[in-house]
Amino acid sequence: MKLRQLAHSRTGDKGDTSNISVIAYRPDDYPRLCAALSEARVQAYLEKLFPKEAVPVRLRVRRYELPRVHALNFVVAGVLRGGVTRSLALDAHGKTLGSILLDLDL
């Protein structure tokens, strides 16, 4: 099952940091999101986007739990390679990262 079957995403970016909120469609699925999406797992998944021969990207993922809205917010520092307007990445916006995260296998 893909993460997108249980949740949707909202994103934003500022400077070199992106935030990705993952919001459960149903409140009953929120505990599954908490169990499946650790900081380490999200970081490892996003790091696969950057080939080893590219400019090194040092991600730092921080997870915030929002139980009243059945969501997790991941703040991903370093992912935008200097910021959206400075990056040479084809599409470095948070929206792309949110879609990629929703493709995670649970």
Side-chain angles (χ1 to χ4, degrees):
M1 157 184 303
K2 298 285 186 184
L3 177 57
R4 74 180 70 250
Q5 293 174 263
L6 297 181
H8 62 99
S9 175
R10 299 284 298 169
T11 62
D13 42 66
K14 191 72 165 174
D16 201 26
T17 301
S18 182
N19 74 66
I20 306 169
S21 292
V22 177
I23 307 116
Y25 291 124
R26 299 174 336 140
D28 292 347
D29 289 327
Y30 177 67
R32 288 181 76 182
L33 296 181
C34 290
L37 300 174
S38 67
E39 288 177 355
R41 183 169 188 203
V42 170
Q43 181 164 331
Y45 187 72
L46 294 177
E47 283 177 341
K48 291 180 184 177
L49 300 175
F50 304 98
K52 291 187 188 294
E53 56 271 6
V55 174
V57 175
R58 292 199 173 102
L59 303 183
R60 293 172 312 284
V61 175
R62 179 82 189 231
R63 181 178 99 165
Y64 297 91
E65 296 181 9
L66 304 154
R68 289 187 174 186
V69 292
H70 319 294
L72 298 172
N73 186 45
F74 295 93
V75 177
V76 187
V79 72
L80 299 179
R81 298 183 186 179
V84 173
T85 58
R86 292 181 54 203
S87 175
L88 297 177
L90 187 56
D91 189 0
H93 290 276
K95 290 173 183 66
T96 301
L97 297 171
S99 293
I100 290 168
L101 186 58
L102 290 176
D103 203 41
L104 179 77
D105 286 317
L106 297 178

